[in-house]
Amino acid sequence: NYDITYNPGTLTVTPKSLTISGVTATNRVYNGTIADTLNTGSAILSAAVGGDVVTLNTVAATGTFADKDTGNGKAVTAAGFTLSGADAGDYSITQPVGLSANITPAALSLRAVNTSKLSGTSDPTLTYSYTGLAGGDSRAYFSGALARAAGESVGSYAIGQGTLAATGNYYIAAFTPGTFSIMQGVPANIDVPRIVDPIWRGLTQPILVDIPMPVPVVSFLYPDPSLAPLASASISSGSPALSPSAANIVPRYKPSSRSSAGAPLILLYCPNEGTCFRM
């Protein structure tokens, strides 16, 4: 009572998905990048069907953080795992998931910059230099400030780390103290545009004085034929900054010397490029 009619159809066979286990991400120190190394030595590929030949390739495997900054338990995205073998075309691969790792702060070496002042004047800002920046970073960020040993008498005082601390992706691993020097002298409030090739307005022939003093002291000797007291004066800009070895400044005198004209020696203490004090 019946006939059989066959209607053709299509059977689609999709690749079987294989998963990977045994992969871990690596904790590392901040280096300015988002890359992470995956530990693939214990990676295991889930079983293929029957006797199919399928092999896991890990050579190109990579791990990537979402950002470069420090943190604990940061998610790591895995990529680059592939399959090979005679039957690899019958399978697909699911990249490892659920990976995480820590990025810890990088170490900085910090050094306090030696500085000084005249007795009775305010302390200049204590400064520092540092090394150890990672990757393409151009600077680190800090909180707090350096601190020097207490005292206002003429002498030397240690500059310590105080409350200064690196923030964010760095920490201070090594600190080199500096020296804060207080020297005797009375400020004359002589403003200077730059300490370069000085010319004393109204006077001539500025002479560099060679004396051992803490940096950043630059001392000049100025002959004053009138012997009149000096209250203030200006220095104009010129050639590159002078140093005790500058060949174009002659002659040199000891601090206790006087010029051939009998002029008094006027020593200038210059704590920076903007201000000098008569000593």
Side-chain angles (χ1 to χ4, degrees):
N1 297 321
Y2 297 94
D3 290 325
I4 298 175
T5 301
Y6 293 94
N7 294 318
T10 300
L11 174 64
T12 301
V13 180
T14 58
K16 177 178 174 60
S17 178
L18 300 181
T19 59
I20 305 168
S21 61
V23 176
T24 59
T26 303
N27 296 330
R28 66 165 176 80
V29 174
Y30 173 79
N31 63 11
T33 73
I34 60 174
D36 189 45
T37 300
L38 299 182
N39 302 308
T40 61
S42 299
I44 299 173
L45 184 67
S46 60
V49 175
D52 285 357
V53 178
V54 182
T55 302
L56 176 65
N57 297 323
T58 63
V59 174
T62 60
T64 306
F65 289 102
D67 59 64
K68 67 178 184 177
D69 298 323
T70 58
N72 294 326
K74 294 171 67 73
V76 176
T77 301
F81 289 89
T82 60
L83 298 175
S84 63
D87 301 303
D90 295 330
Y91 295 88
S92 63
I93 190 171
T94 300
Q95 302 293 319
V97 295
L99 304 182
S100 65
N102 303 333
I103 300 180
T104 55
L108 293 177
S109 294
L110 188 142
R111 177 185 297 272
V113 175
N114 296 335
T115 189
S116 58
K117 73 168 185 174
L118 289 179
S119 176
T121 62
S122 299
D123 282 11
T125 300
L126 301 179
T127 60
Y128 50 87
S129 62
Y130 56 89
T131 58
L133 289 178
D137 287 358
S138 59
R139 62 159 298 175
Y141 294 88
F142 299 87
S143 63
L146 298 176
R148 72 169 179 90
E152 292 298 330
S153 299
V154 172
S156 297
Y157 300 84
I159 301 175
Q161 185 172 338
T163 60
L164 186 69
T167 60
N169 296 320
Y170 295 94
Y171 73 99
I172 299 174
F175 176 77
T176 302
T179 300
F180 186 93
S181 301
I182 299 180
M183 295 177 295
Q184 187 65 49
V186 179
N189 296 326
I190 303 173
D191 293 329
V192 185
R194 273 184 67 85
I195 310 306
V196 293
D197 195 18
I199 299 173
W200 197 263
R201 184 170 297 174
L203 302 176
T204 60
Q205 190 59 36
I207 304 171
L208 184 68
V209 179
D210 269 328
I211 56 176
M213 281 190 174
V215 175
V217 172
V218 181
S219 298
F220 294 98
L221 170 93
Y222 292 91
D224 183 356
S226 70
L227 301 183
L230 179 66
S232 65
S234 299
I235 293 178
S236 62
S237 299
S239 62
L242 299 175
S243 68
S245 61
N248 62 327
I249 300 298
V250 291
R252 294 178 179 175
Y253 293 91
K254 296 295 184 182
S256 59
S257 301
R258 287 180 179 272
S259 70
S260 58
L265 299 182
I266 300 167
L267 302 182
L268 296 184
Y269 163 68
C270 304
N272 53 54
E273 289 187 344
T275 303
C276 282
F277 299 111
R278 189 179 70 168
M279 299 177 65

